[in-house]
Amino acid sequence: MLGTGFMPRETTEHHRSEILGLVKAALEEAKLSLEDMCIALEYIEAVFCYTKGPGIGGPLSVGAVVVRTLSLLYNKPIVGVNHCIAHIEMGRVVTKSENPTILYVSGGNTQVIAYSQKRYRIFGETVDMAVGNCLDRFARVLKISNDPSPGYNIEQLAKIPPLKYIELPYVVKGMDVSFSGILTYISDLYAGKFPNTKPEDLTQSNLCFSLQETVFAMLVETTERAMAHCGSKEVLLVGGVACNLRLQEMMKVMASERGGTVCAMDDRYCIDNGAMIAYTGKI
């Protein structure tokens, strides 16, 4: 249903109805037929990669069943890929970043990550909801469109002048962040539950602007701490929320003040995509 987020049962049914068409479309885009692929797979070392997790169990199982079927048909091994690691590895190869501090921000994840002692380690994360979920849910409060995405439409509203910043709770706990209280507070503001607030200040643009500025400042702060701890000069932004130009701008200001740089990708690779799963499985 529009405006309700991802419902597990409906999302699973969607994946079941679409996945075979998606495989066909991928072959057509690559200008290959199943026969071509069958011949090619006899002479090359290849694997079938799929998203193993984390995520919603039902939709993930659809991909797993299809990839196992393809594996049996073509007698090739399977590689299960961690969705979060795939975002990071795709970001590193696209931006050519060497040792970045990573901010992974999406509808389901908010984590500050760095590579240390042969593994990725989480230096800070949300203690409740992801930042993308916070933005999406406030978009539902405002009843703004899901097309092309709620977060994108919040970003556009936050650019419409005149803009006035409305102070919101700022919740950083050590290296962790919290967004649920901020969402409750700003939703109550919009509903008019704070009589001392001027109604003319509570425009959708002001609220979207204030929400973005607050939650992004929290993310910049925790990312900067991780950079200082790791001695890193690069910040890699991955995940769907990393498409947000205001987040990129704020992060660039912080990084430049530290003599560092921000590695950001275009929308194709920030959002979930098959290329990141294939590449991570390959390496």
Side-chain angles (χ1 to χ4, degrees):
M1 287 177 63
L2 189 64
T4 58
F6 291 105
M7 308 297 284
R9 181 180 297 174
E10 287 83 350
T11 306
T12 303
E13 289 300 322
H14 168 270
H15 282 33
R16 284 176 183 157
S17 64
E18 297 291 332
I19 193 164
L20 295 182
L22 184 63
V23 171
K24 182 180 178 182
L27 288 169
E28 289 176 352
E29 186 170 333
K31 295 181 173 57
L32 290 172
S33 65
L34 282 173
E35 291 74 18
D36 294 332
M37 192 170 76
C38 183
I39 294 169
L41 289 175
E42 290 183 5
Y43 298 99
I44 61 173
E45 291 185 11
V47 295
F48 286 103
C49 307
Y50 75 104
T51 303
K52 191 174 183 179
I56 304 172
L60 288 174
S61 69
V62 174
V65 168
V66 171
V67 83
R68 285 170 185 156
T69 302
L70 291 170
S71 172
L72 290 171
L73 281 172
Y74 297 107
N75 194 29
K76 294 294 179 180
I78 299 171
V79 175
V81 174
N82 181 290
H83 178 95
C84 306
I85 300 298
H87 271 294
I88 295 170
E89 293 298 344
M90 195 66 183
R92 291 184 68 174
V93 71
V94 169
T95 65
K96 297 180 172 58
S97 55
E98 294 183 1
N99 183 33
T101 298
I102 302 137
L103 178 63
Y104 175 25
V105 278
S106 67
N109 296 277
T110 300
Q111 296 173 325
V112 180
I113 302 168
Y115 194 78
S116 176
Q117 298 177 347
K118 297 184 178 181
R119 66 177 59 194
Y120 286 109
R121 300 182 185 274
I122 298 171
F123 282 78
E125 60 186 335
T126 177
V127 298
D128 39 53
M129 64 170 54
V131 64
N133 191 15
C134 176
L135 295 171
D136 290 352
R137 287 174 65 174
F138 186 59
R140 289 179 219 155
V141 171
L142 298 182
K143 297 181 179 178
I144 61 178
S145 173
N146 276 0
D147 184 22
S149 72
Y152 175 82
N153 291 322
I154 281 185
E155 181 183 0
Q156 303 316 307
L157 280 170
K159 297 175 182 177
I160 300 174
L163 293 170
K164 180 177 180 180
Y165 178 77
I166 300 168
E167 187 171 351
L168 301 174
Y170 185 95
V171 191
V172 175
K173 303 178 179 182
M175 286 294 293
D176 294 331
V177 292
S178 173
F179 301 112
S180 60
I182 300 171
L183 176 62
T184 299
Y185 185 90
I186 196 170
S187 298
D188 287 347
L189 264 180
Y190 185 65
K193 294 184 179 180
F194 294 90
N196 295 330
T197 306
K198 296 178 181 179
E200 60 269 24
D201 291 341
L202 301 180
T203 65
Q204 289 192 350
S205 292
N206 282 348
L207 291 169
C208 291
F209 170 73
S210 302
L211 180 59
Q212 277 198 166
E213 294 296 301
T214 302
V215 298
F216 291 168
M218 292 160 54
L219 296 172
V220 170
E221 178 186 335
T222 51
T223 303
E224 183 175 18
R225 287 187 193 163
M227 288 181 73
H229 179 81
C230 298
S232 173
K233 292 294 184 182
E234 294 176 314
V235 180
L236 175 61
L237 301 177
V238 298
V241 181
C243 298
N244 189 293
L245 297 180
R246 179 56 181 156
L247 174 60
Q248 294 179 20
E249 180 184 11
M250 292 172 70
M251 198 65 73
K252 285 175 183 176
V253 171
M254 179 276 289
S256 64
E257 289 175 352
R258 298 183 58 84
T261 57
V262 171
C263 305
M265 299 177 287
D266 63 38
D267 294 2
R268 294 174 303 164
Y269 298 123
C270 281
I271 62 174
D272 295 347
N273 61 88
M276 72 184 195
I277 302 300
Y279 174 73
T280 306
K282 174 179 176 290
I283 63 174

